[in-house]
Each structure stands twice: as structure tokens, then as C-alpha cells.
Amino acid sequence: MYDVVFMTPNMQGTIKGEVIGTLQIATILKEKGMSCRLIPFCEIGDLNFFEAFLDRAVALVEEAQPKILSFYTRSDIYHIALRIAERVKEKWPEIYVVMGGPQSDITAKESLERLPYIDFVCCGEGEATAYPLFASLLQSSPDYSVEGLVYRKDGKVTANPRPGLIEDLDSIPFI
């Protein structure tokens, strides 16, 4: 059982293919005591067999039993992340689904307005947003004040101001 599972678009099967931001966020969360697992797409399977890929992704989530499922999204894989998120939310509505990355950043409000299986979108610097949000979700008490958070509450979608840029890059832990 994991606190957080990150699904990433890495198809290379090496650390070089992994998204640095996701690795940094996972490192921050681990340093603060959260259990994390990265599931790169290459571990899930072959995208040429899409239904089998989706089934395997859901099976890996079931195996990991996370409280939070987080996706790093780009335009080329956004539709895949959405299909996985939809299936996961159908089976386990209690799992929080959090999106981050450039594609969900630019479509945050629209996605939350139209897609009930997305709970939160983190915009801007994920290193500043992820820990306070995820810590509150693990307590089943979402902190809606987190900078960079876009969320749905009482049927209304709200976008908080973005966090500032990280000025001291040495403050980010080594992966």
C-alpha cells in the first residue's frame, strides 16, 4: 500500500526517460515520510494494445492501493491519463486523482468542469504545491488554500494563485 502513485509517460525504461519534476516531487514526499511509487508507462505495457494497456494500468493501481494517484501530463499522453483516471475512479472513488504537468496546467479549469473523475490539478511549481496538498489529502481533509491548486468544491471550479518560481534551486533535494 502506497500513499502516492505517480504514473508517468516514460516509455524508455530508464531513469533518463523519467520526468525530473516528478522525481523531485517524489523525493520531497519521501523525505517527509510519504510512501511513493512511480509507475512509468513502459512498466504498464505496449500502447499499441490500448485496452490491454488500460487494464494493466488499473491492475497496477489495484496492486499499489494508493490513496492518491497523480499523473504528469503532456499533450501527447493526456488522453491516456484521462482514460486511466476514469477507470480508476469508477472502481475506487475514494482515491484522489491529481493531475500536473504542462497539459493539465493549460486545461485545468476546463478539465475540472467537464471531468468528474479528476479531483485536483496542480499548476505552476509542483515542488511547492504537492506536499501541502498531498499531506492534507492523506488526512482526508483537502487544503483548498494551497497555491497553484485548481479544484472543484460545491460544484464550482476555483483556481488559486500560482506559487512563485523557485529562486534557490539548491533548496530542492537531490533525486
Side-chain angles (χ1 to χ4, degrees):
M1 177 185 277
Y2 291 89
D3 293 324
V4 183
V5 164
F6 293 96
M7 282 203 177
T8 65
N10 179 357
M11 290 302 289
Q12 294 182 14
T14 68
I15 196 75
K16 289 181 182 180
E18 204 52 73
V19 177
I20 292 173
T22 301
L23 293 173
Q24 288 175 326
I25 292 167
T27 300
I28 291 166
L29 298 179
K30 284 183 175 188
E31 284 185 352
K32 297 199 180 261
M34 292 184 195
S35 59
C36 301
R37 177 174 177 197
L38 266 68
I39 301 177
F41 279 11
C42 63
E43 185 179 321
I44 297 170
D46 187 342
L47 282 167
N48 291 315
F49 302 98
F50 195 60
E51 288 302 316
F53 181 90
L54 294 175
D55 290 344
R56 175 81 173 130
V58 171
L60 287 170
V61 171
E62 183 172 28
E63 177 186 297
Q65 298 178 25
K67 295 174 186 157
I68 301 165
L69 176 61
S70 182
F71 294 90
Y72 174 86
T73 63
R74 303 182 309 234
S75 60
D76 61 329
I77 61 93
Y78 194 54
H79 65 291
I80 300 167
L82 294 178
R83 293 285 301 274
I84 296 168
E86 182 177 31
R87 286 190 179 192
V88 166
K89 204 65 162 169
E90 284 174 3
K91 280 188 93 161
W92 305 285
E94 70 280 5
I95 294 176
Y96 292 104
V97 174
V98 180
M99 299 286 188
Q103 181 62 39
S104 43
D105 192 310
I106 62 171
T107 61
K109 287 184 101 172
E110 296 83 358
S111 294
L112 283 166
E113 289 169 351
R114 294 180 177 101
L115 306 170
Y117 46 86
I118 298 174
D119 296 305
F120 301 95
V121 177
C122 293
C123 296
E125 299 285 350
E127 292 84 353
T129 305
Y131 177 71
L133 174 63
F134 289 8
S136 73
L137 296 180
L138 292 178
Q139 299 299 316
S140 299
S141 181
D143 180 354
Y144 295 106
S145 70
V146 173
E147 288 184 335
L149 185 63
V150 182
Y151 61 93
R152 182 187 323 98
K153 185 176 182 186
D154 301 325
K156 182 182 175 205
V157 174
T158 302
N160 292 346
R162 291 172 180 264
L165 295 176
I166 299 170
E167 292 184 23
D168 178 12
L169 295 179
D170 290 334
S171 69
I172 300 171
F174 284 107
I175 297 168

PDB file of all heavy atoms in Angstrom, residues 93-114:
ATOM      1  N   PRO A  93     -13.670   5.192  -5.984  1.00  0.00           N
ATOM      2  CA  PRO A  93     -13.960   6.635  -5.916  1.00  0.00           C
ATOM      3  C   PRO A  93     -13.243   7.348  -4.782  1.00  0.00           C
ATOM      4  O   PRO A  93     -13.093   8.569  -4.813  1.00  0.00           O
ATOM      5  CB  PRO A  93     -15.479   6.689  -5.739  1.00  0.00           C
ATOM      6  CG  PRO A  93     -15.910   5.321  -5.370  1.00  0.00           C
ATOM      7  CD  PRO A  93     -14.849   4.368  -5.824  1.00  0.00           C
ATOM      8  N   GLU A  94     -12.753   6.597  -3.803  1.00  0.00           N
ATOM      9  CA  GLU A  94     -12.065   7.207  -2.665  1.00  0.00           C
ATOM     10  C   GLU A  94     -10.619   7.601  -2.975  1.00  0.00           C
ATOM     11  O   GLU A  94     -10.002   8.349  -2.209  1.00  0.00           O
ATOM     12  CB  GLU A  94     -12.093   6.274  -1.446  1.00  0.00           C
ATOM     13  CG  GLU A  94     -11.232   5.038  -1.583  1.00  0.00           C
ATOM     14  CD  GLU A  94     -11.839   3.880  -2.394  1.00  0.00           C
ATOM     15  OE1 GLU A  94     -12.939   4.030  -2.965  1.00  0.00           O
ATOM     16  OE2 GLU A  94     -11.179   2.821  -2.464  1.00  0.00           O
ATOM     17  N   ILE A  95     -10.063   7.115  -4.082  1.00  0.00           N
ATOM     18  CA  ILE A  95      -8.701   7.500  -4.467  1.00  0.00           C
ATOM     19  C   ILE A  95      -8.749   8.910  -5.047  1.00  0.00           C
ATOM     20  O   ILE A  95      -9.534   9.197  -5.940  1.00  0.00           O
ATOM     21  CB  ILE A  95      -8.098   6.519  -5.496  1.00  0.00           C
ATOM     22  CG1 ILE A  95      -7.890   5.140  -4.877  1.00  0.00           C
ATOM     23  CG2 ILE A  95      -6.771   7.061  -6.046  1.00  0.00           C
ATOM     24  CD1 ILE A  95      -7.387   4.091  -5.845  1.00  0.00           C
ATOM     25  N   TYR A  96      -7.908   9.782  -4.515  1.00  0.00           N
ATOM     26  CA  TYR A  96      -7.803  11.132  -5.064  1.00  0.00           C
ATOM     27  C   TYR A  96      -7.011  11.077  -6.361  1.00  0.00           C
ATOM     28  O   TYR A  96      -5.933  10.481  -6.404  1.00  0.00           O
ATOM     29  CB  TYR A  96      -7.081  12.064  -4.089  1.00  0.00           C
ATOM     30  CG  TYR A  96      -7.851  12.369  -2.830  1.00  0.00           C
ATOM     31  CD1 TYR A  96      -7.515  11.771  -1.626  1.00  0.00           C
ATOM     32  CD2 TYR A  96      -8.914  13.275  -2.845  1.00  0.00           C
ATOM     33  CE1 TYR A  96      -8.215  12.057  -0.455  1.00  0.00           C
ATOM     34  CE2 TYR A  96      -9.618  13.562  -1.683  1.00  0.00           C
ATOM     35  CZ  TYR A  96      -9.263  12.960  -0.495  1.00  0.00           C
ATOM     36  OH  TYR A  96      -9.949  13.246   0.652  1.00  0.00           O
ATOM     37  N   VAL A  97      -7.524  11.705  -7.407  1.00  0.00           N
ATOM     38  CA  VAL A  97      -6.831  11.792  -8.690  1.00  0.00           C
ATOM     39  C   VAL A  97      -6.347  13.228  -8.867  1.00  0.00           C
ATOM     40  O   VAL A  97      -7.144  14.173  -8.860  1.00  0.00           O
ATOM     41  CB  VAL A  97      -7.735  11.371  -9.865  1.00  0.00           C
ATOM     42  CG1 VAL A  97      -7.042  11.621 -11.201  1.00  0.00           C
ATOM     43  CG2 VAL A  97      -8.141   9.903  -9.728  1.00  0.00           C
ATOM     44  N   VAL A  98      -5.015  13.360  -9.004  1.00  0.00           N
ATOM     45  CA  VAL A  98      -4.372  14.663  -9.117  1.00  0.00           C
ATOM     46  C   VAL A  98      -3.587  14.707 -10.422  1.00  0.00           C
ATOM     47  O   VAL A  98      -2.813  13.799 -10.711  1.00  0.00           O
ATOM     48  CB  VAL A  98      -3.421  14.916  -7.919  1.00  0.00           C
ATOM     49  CG1 VAL A  98      -2.755  16.280  -8.050  1.00  0.00           C
ATOM     50  CG2 VAL A  98      -4.168  14.784  -6.589  1.00  0.00           C
ATOM     51  N   MET A  99      -3.797  15.767 -11.184  1.00  0.00           N
ATOM     52  CA  MET A  99      -3.077  15.959 -12.438  1.00  0.00           C
ATOM     53  C   MET A  99      -2.072  17.094 -12.287  1.00  0.00           C
ATOM     54  O   MET A  99      -2.321  18.060 -11.564  1.00  0.00           O
ATOM     55  CB  MET A  99      -4.048  16.319 -13.568  1.00  0.00           C
ATOM     56  CG  MET A  99      -5.082  15.271 -13.861  1.00  0.00           C
ATOM     57  SD  MET A  99      -4.338  13.891 -14.733  1.00  0.00           S
ATOM     58  CE  MET A  99      -5.778  12.952 -15.157  1.00  0.00           C
ATOM     59  N   GLY A 100      -0.957  16.963 -12.978  1.00  0.00           N
ATOM     60  CA  GLY A 100       0.045  18.017 -13.037  1.00  0.00           C
ATOM     61  C   GLY A 100       0.737  17.949 -14.378  1.00  0.00           C
ATOM     62  O   GLY A 100       0.451  17.060 -15.186  1.00  0.00           O
ATOM     63  N   GLY A 101       1.620  18.870 -14.632  1.00  0.00           N
ATOM     64  CA  GLY A 101       2.333  18.885 -15.909  1.00  0.00           C
ATOM     65  C   GLY A 101       1.729  19.893 -16.859  1.00  0.00           C
ATOM     66  O   GLY A 101       0.671  20.469 -16.610  1.00  0.00           O
ATOM     67  N   PRO A 102       2.401  20.118 -17.989  1.00  0.00           N
ATOM     68  CA  PRO A 102       2.015  21.210 -18.882  1.00  0.00           C
ATOM     69  C   PRO A 102       0.609  21.093 -19.476  1.00  0.00           C
ATOM     70  O   PRO A 102      -0.094  22.087 -19.584  1.00  0.00           O
ATOM     71  CB  PRO A 102       3.094  21.197 -19.972  1.00  0.00           C
ATOM     72  CG  PRO A 102       3.777  19.885 -19.857  1.00  0.00           C
ATOM     73  CD  PRO A 102       3.605  19.423 -18.454  1.00  0.00           C
ATOM     74  N   GLN A 103       0.174  19.908 -19.855  1.00  0.00           N
ATOM     75  CA  GLN A 103      -1.147  19.801 -20.481  1.00  0.00           C
ATOM     76  C   GLN A 103      -2.269  20.074 -19.486  1.00  0.00           C
ATOM     77  O   GLN A 103      -3.178  20.836 -19.762  1.00  0.00           O
ATOM     78  CB  GLN A 103      -1.349  18.422 -21.121  1.00  0.00           C
ATOM     79  CG  GLN A 103      -2.697  18.271 -21.792  1.00  0.00           C
ATOM     80  CD  GLN A 103      -2.914  19.240 -22.936  1.00  0.00           C
ATOM     81  OE1 GLN A 103      -2.000  19.525 -23.704  1.00  0.00           O
ATOM     82  NE2 GLN A 103      -4.123  19.756 -23.073  1.00  0.00           N
ATOM     83  N   SER A 104      -2.186  19.475 -18.314  1.00  0.00           N
ATOM     84  CA  SER A 104      -3.257  19.718 -17.348  1.00  0.00           C
ATOM     85  C   SER A 104      -3.177  21.137 -16.810  1.00  0.00           C
ATOM     86  O   SER A 104      -4.197  21.705 -16.409  1.00  0.00           O
ATOM     87  CB  SER A 104      -3.256  18.686 -16.229  1.00  0.00           C
ATOM     88  OG  SER A 104      -1.988  18.410 -15.754  1.00  0.00           O
ATOM     89  N   ASP A 105      -2.002  21.733 -16.824  1.00  0.00           N
ATOM     90  CA  ASP A 105      -1.856  23.120 -16.396  1.00  0.00           C
ATOM     91  C   ASP A 105      -2.690  24.047 -17.294  1.00  0.00           C
ATOM     92  O   ASP A 105      -3.441  24.888 -16.797  1.00  0.00           O
ATOM     93  CB  ASP A 105      -0.376  23.517 -16.434  1.00  0.00           C
ATOM     94  CG  ASP A 105      -0.079  24.825 -15.746  1.00  0.00           C
ATOM     95  OD1 ASP A 105      -0.772  25.831 -16.022  1.00  0.00           O
ATOM     96  OD2 ASP A 105       0.852  24.862 -14.937  1.00  0.00           O
ATOM     97  N   ILE A 106      -2.595  23.875 -18.601  1.00  0.00           N
ATOM     98  CA  ILE A 106      -3.305  24.787 -19.509  1.00  0.00           C
ATOM     99  C   ILE A 106      -4.785  24.446 -19.666  1.00  0.00           C
ATOM    100  O   ILE A 106      -5.553  25.271 -20.153  1.00  0.00           O
ATOM    101  CB  ILE A 106      -2.629  24.878 -20.894  1.00  0.00           C
ATOM    102  CG1 ILE A 106      -2.626  23.536 -21.599  1.00  0.00           C
ATOM    103  CG2 ILE A 106      -1.239  25.444 -20.790  1.00  0.00           C
ATOM    104  CD1 ILE A 106      -2.178  23.605 -23.052  1.00  0.00           C
ATOM    105  N   THR A 107      -5.200  23.263 -19.240  1.00  0.00           N
ATOM    106  CA  THR A 107      -6.617  22.870 -19.364  1.00  0.00           C
ATOM    107  C   THR A 107      -7.252  22.619 -17.994  1.00  0.00           C
ATOM    108  O   THR A 107      -8.289  21.967 -17.903  1.00  0.00           O
ATOM    109  CB  THR A 107      -6.752  21.594 -20.224  1.00  0.00           C
ATOM    110  OG1 THR A 107      -6.034  20.527 -19.585  1.00  0.00           O
ATOM    111  CG2 THR A 107      -6.242  21.806 -21.630  1.00  0.00           C
ATOM    112  N   ALA A 108      -6.671  23.144 -16.941  1.00  0.00           N
ATOM    113  CA  ALA A 108      -7.097  22.813 -15.574  1.00  0.00           C
ATOM    114  C   ALA A 108      -8.579  23.103 -15.325  1.00  0.00           C
ATOM    115  O   ALA A 108      -9.336  22.208 -14.911  1.00  0.00           O
ATOM    116  CB  ALA A 108      -6.233  23.555 -14.558  1.00  0.00           C
ATOM    117  N   LYS A 109      -8.995  24.328 -15.543  1.00  0.00           N
ATOM    118  CA  LYS A 109     -10.384  24.684 -15.247  1.00  0.00           C
ATOM    119  C   LYS A 109     -11.362  23.900 -16.117  1.00  0.00           C
ATOM    120  O   LYS A 109     -12.357  23.368 -15.624  1.00  0.00           O
ATOM    121  CB  LYS A 109     -10.598  26.188 -15.415  1.00  0.00           C
ATOM    122  CG  LYS A 109      -9.959  27.004 -14.299  1.00  0.00           C
ATOM    123  CD  LYS A 109     -10.267  28.468 -14.440  1.00  0.00           C
ATOM    124  CE  LYS A 109     -11.370  28.808 -13.465  1.00  0.00           C
ATOM    125  NZ  LYS A 109     -11.629  30.251 -13.385  1.00  0.00           N
ATOM    126  N   GLU A 110     -11.075  23.814 -17.400  1.00  0.00           N
ATOM    127  CA  GLU A 110     -11.961  23.099 -18.312  1.00  0.00           C
ATOM    128  C   GLU A 110     -12.057  21.621 -17.950  1.00  0.00           C
ATOM    129  O   GLU A 110     -13.133  21.026 -17.998  1.00  0.00           O
ATOM    130  CB  GLU A 110     -11.490  23.261 -19.760  1.00  0.00           C
ATOM    131  CG  GLU A 110     -11.539  24.682 -20.285  1.00  0.00           C
ATOM    132  CD  GLU A 110     -10.316  25.519 -19.902  1.00  0.00           C
ATOM    133  OE1 GLU A 110      -9.416  25.025 -19.185  1.00  0.00           O
ATOM    134  OE2 GLU A 110     -10.271  26.697 -20.319  1.00  0.00           O
ATOM    135  N   SER A 111     -10.928  21.032 -17.596  1.00  0.00           N
ATOM    136  CA  SER A 111     -10.929  19.611 -17.233  1.00  0.00           C
ATOM    137  C   SER A 111     -11.766  19.365 -15.989  1.00  0.00           C
ATOM    138  O   SER A 111     -12.570  18.433 -15.941  1.00  0.00           O
ATOM    139  CB  SER A 111      -9.496  19.115 -17.018  1.00  0.00           C
ATOM    140  OG  SER A 111      -8.779  19.148 -18.225  1.00  0.00           O
ATOM    141  N   LEU A 112     -11.584  20.199 -14.971  1.00  0.00           N
ATOM    142  CA  LEU A 112     -12.363  20.014 -13.746  1.00  0.00           C
ATOM    143  C   LEU A 112     -13.843  20.301 -13.962  1.00  0.00           C
ATOM    144  O   LEU A 112     -14.695  19.699 -13.303  1.00  0.00           O
ATOM    145  CB  LEU A 112     -11.798  20.871 -12.619  1.00  0.00           C
ATOM    146  CG  LEU A 112     -10.532  20.298 -11.991  1.00  0.00           C
ATOM    147  CD1 LEU A 112      -9.839  21.335 -11.123  1.00  0.00           C
ATOM    148  CD2 LEU A 112     -10.837  19.057 -11.191  1.00  0.00           C
ATOM    149  N   GLU A 113     -14.170  21.200 -14.873  1.00  0.00           N
ATOM    150  CA  GLU A 113     -15.582  21.483 -15.172  1.00  0.00           C
ATOM    151  C   GLU A 113     -16.258  20.313 -15.876  1.00  0.00           C
ATOM    152  O   GLU A 113     -17.439  20.055 -15.653  1.00  0.00           O
ATOM    153  CB  GLU A 113     -15.696  22.737 -16.046  1.00  0.00           C
ATOM    154  CG  GLU A 113     -15.380  24.016 -15.303  1.00  0.00           C
ATOM    155  CD  GLU A 113     -15.234  25.229 -16.202  1.00  0.00           C
ATOM    156  OE1 GLU A 113     -15.211  25.085 -17.452  1.00  0.00           O
ATOM    157  OE2 GLU A 113     -15.111  26.330 -15.650  1.00  0.00           O
ATOM    158  N   ARG A 114     -15.493  19.581 -16.683  1.00  0.00           N
ATOM    159  CA  ARG A 114     -16.094  18.548 -17.542  1.00  0.00           C
ATOM    160  C   ARG A 114     -15.824  17.108 -17.109  1.00  0.00           C
ATOM    161  O   ARG A 114     -16.520  16.200 -17.550  1.00  0.00           O
ATOM    162  CB  ARG A 114     -15.580  18.731 -18.960  1.00  0.00           C
ATOM    163  CG  ARG A 114     -16.042  20.011 -19.600  1.00  0.00           C
ATOM    164  CD  ARG A 114     -15.509  20.135 -21.020  1.00  0.00           C
ATOM    165  NE  ARG A 114     -16.006  21.335 -21.650  1.00  0.00           N
ATOM    166  CZ  ARG A 114     -15.303  22.457 -21.773  1.00  0.00           C
ATOM    167  NH1 ARG A 114     -14.067  22.518 -21.314  1.00  0.00           N
ATOM    168  NH2 ARG A 114     -15.814  23.505 -22.358  1.00  0.00           N
TER     169      ARG A 114
END
